[in-house]
């Protein structure tokens, strides 16, 4: 309620009177329209638990991705080694 | 040289990935769950908003139908609106009190007084509206934020699992290619098949042992003795 002087002060008194008169009725309305947030809040595991598990899974994922890249790398290394060997043989032959 | 490379690759991948298989549908399923989780969140969020709208409507109904009429009636009396309307008094901002109108300025003072009276009425009704609705608005914002946070956490975790499943299938594909190059893929598949069959047989064997054990217990009970543990 606005608390002010002048005519506002008189209006404050009028509002206070009404609030007192309707107190019981208003309480019923407030009770019927209140929300128990704690009961409605999703009760899932906390962020720390998730972070710990995510880190472990991500580390394993990174390892798998490295393994799947290994094929290309070893193949690239193989053909590069063959190319270098051929070059050396060529040079020696020359 | 190439054989050495492929052998190295095959052993590295086989050793790391093991024999278990992750079908590509597992990745798709996990991805789909992530997508659907977002839709579930939108639906859940809308449901929360609808519920709070209902709560607000109930309080607004109380304000409009009960509190405001009562307040206006009280304010008409305490704010002496009838006396003002009948030009008996006007509001004096100098003395902050009702006073008799100044001769010659009655109309102007009447208008100013009624303006002030109605301004106060509107301000107090609006103030009451905020007092009734602000807690609901705060609760709604808090609950929706909590739900959003929870869904984000689960969606993020699911995305991590999806990525992991995808990485396993990538390794499997690389492994298959390497084994295929060595002509060993069929052998790997045969080994896997054999392992599954062996596992099934082991399960059947365990079931047989369990049944036999129960039969022995029944026989022992029948002859009234108790089996003693062998030392």
């Amino acid at each position: 309620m606005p608390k002010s002087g002048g005519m506002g002060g008189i209006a404050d008194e009028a509002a206070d009177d009404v609030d007192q008169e309707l107190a019981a009725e208003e309480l019923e309305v407030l009770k019927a329209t209140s929300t128990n947030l704690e009961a409605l809040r999703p009760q899932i595991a906390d962020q720390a638990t998730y972070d710990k598990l995510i880190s472990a899974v991500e580390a394993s994922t990174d390892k798998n991705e490295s393994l799947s890249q290994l094929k290309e790398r070893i193949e690239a290394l193989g053909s590069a080694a063959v190319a270098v060997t051929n070059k050396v043989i060529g040079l020696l032959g020359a | 040289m190439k054989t050495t490379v492929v052998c190295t690759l095959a052993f590295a991948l086989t050793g790391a990935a093991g024999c278990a298989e992750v079908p590509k549908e597992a990745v798709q399923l996990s991805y789909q769950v992530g997508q659907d989780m977002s839709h579930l969140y939108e639906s859940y969020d809308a449901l929360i908003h609808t519920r709070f709208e209902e709560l607000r409507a109930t309080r607004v109904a109380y304000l409009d139908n009960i509190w405001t009429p009562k307040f206006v009636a009280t304010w008409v009396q305490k704010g002496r609106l009838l006396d003002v309307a009948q030009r008996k008094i006007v509001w004096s901002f100098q003395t902050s009190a009702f006073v008799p109108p100044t001769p010659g300025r009655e109309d102007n003072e009447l208008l100013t007084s009624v303006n002030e009276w109605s301004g106060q009425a509107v301000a107090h009704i609006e103030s009451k509206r905020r007092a009734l609705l602000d807690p609901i608005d705060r609760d709604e914002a808090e609950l929706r934020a909590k739900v959003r946070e929870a869904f984000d956490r689960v969606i993020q975790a699911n995305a991590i699992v999806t990525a992991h499943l995808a990485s396993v299938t990538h390794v499997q594909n690389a492994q298959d290619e390497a084994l295929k190059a060595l002509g060993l893929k069929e052998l790997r598949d045969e080994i896997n098949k054999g392992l599954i069959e062996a596992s099934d047989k082991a399960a059947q064997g365990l079931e047989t042992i369990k049944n036999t054990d129960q039969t022995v217990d029944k026989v022992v009970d029948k002859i009234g003795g108790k089996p003693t543990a062998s030392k």
Side-chain angles (χ1 to χ4, degrees), chain A residues 14-81:
Chain A
D16 289 344
D17 288 352
V18 174
D19 282 339
Q20 281 178 21
E21 197 177 334
L22 295 174
E25 197 168 345
E26 187 167 316
L27 189 64
E28 286 302 310
V29 172
L30 294 180
K31 271 187 192 170
T33 53
S34 290
T35 305
N36 182 354
L37 286 186
E38 194 50 35
L40 293 176
R41 186 177 64 83
Q43 308 285 330
I44 65 167
D46 61 21
Q47 188 67 53
T49 305
Y50 269 83
D51 286 345
K52 197 176 161 189
L53 294 170
I54 283 171
S55 296
V57 175
E58 275 184 329
S60 180
T61 305
D62 290 344
K63 187 184 149 200
N64 284 344
E65 290 300 344
S66 298
L67 276 172
S68 60
Q69 285 169 2
L70 188 61
K71 177 175 165 285
E72 285 82 15
R73 284 177 187 157
I74 289 177
E75 280 177 354
L77 186 66
S79 38

Side-chain angles (χ1 to χ4, degrees), chain A residues 1-2 6-8 11-12 17 19 21 25-26 33 35 45 47 50 58 60-61 64-65 67 71 74 81, chain B residues 1 5 9 13 16 59 62 66-67 70 78 91 116 120 124 127-128 153 160 164 167-168 170-171 177:
Chain A
M1 287 291 111
M7 195 187 276
D12 288 345
D17 288 352
D19 282 339
E21 197 177 334
E25 197 168 345
E26 187 167 316
T33 53
T35 305
Q47 188 67 53
Y50 269 83
E58 275 184 329
S60 180
T61 305
N64 284 344
E65 290 300 344
L67 276 172
K71 177 175 165 285
I74 289 177
Chain B
M1 182 71 180
V5 168
L9 177 63
L13 293 175
R59 290 197 183 186
Y62 164 74
I66 299 171
W67 193 90
K70 185 78 85 177
K78 280 193 174 276
W91 180 254
E116 177 64 8
Q120 288 297 336
H124 281 72
S127 172
K128 185 67 181 177
R153 200 178 294 165
I160 300 290
H164 182 71
S167 77
V168 174
H170 291 159
V171 173
E177 283 179 32

Side-chain angles (χ1 to χ4, degrees), chain B residues 182-201:
Chain B
L182 287 174
L184 294 174
K185 185 173 181 296
E186 289 74 17
L187 177 64
R188 196 274 308 265
D189 291 344
E190 281 300 314
I191 290 170
N192 280 352
K193 195 180 157 198
L195 283 172
I196 292 166
E197 283 172 4
S199 177
D200 288 345
K201 280 178 183 165

Side-chain angles (χ1 to χ4, degrees), chain B residues 124-213:
Chain B
H124 281 72
I125 292 166
E126 186 53 28
S127 172
K128 185 67 181 177
R129 182 185 303 277
R130 294 285 25 118
L132 289 168
L133 298 184
D134 282 354
I136 293 185
D137 293 347
R138 277 197 299 273
D139 282 354
E140 182 186 359
E142 190 181 333
L143 183 61
R144 288 172 78 178
K146 295 272 185 201
V147 169
R148 169 93 233 181
E149 192 184 314
F151 268 96
D152 281 350
R153 200 178 294 165
V154 174
I155 288 169
Q156 190 208 358
N158 184 68
I160 300 290
V161 172
T162 306
H164 182 71
L165 290 173
S167 77
V168 174
T169 57
H170 291 159
V171 173
Q172 270 178 199
N173 291 340
Q175 185 190 44
D176 286 349
E177 283 179 32
L179 290 173
K180 210 171 179 180
L182 287 174
L184 294 174
K185 185 173 181 296
E186 289 74 17
L187 177 64
R188 196 274 308 265
D189 291 344
E190 281 300 314
I191 290 170
N192 280 352
K193 195 180 157 198
L195 283 172
I196 292 166
E197 283 172 4
S199 177
D200 288 345
K201 280 178 183 165
Q204 285 168 7
L206 281 172
E207 192 61 29
T208 307
I209 290 168
K210 200 175 152 192
N211 290 339
T212 308
D213 195 33

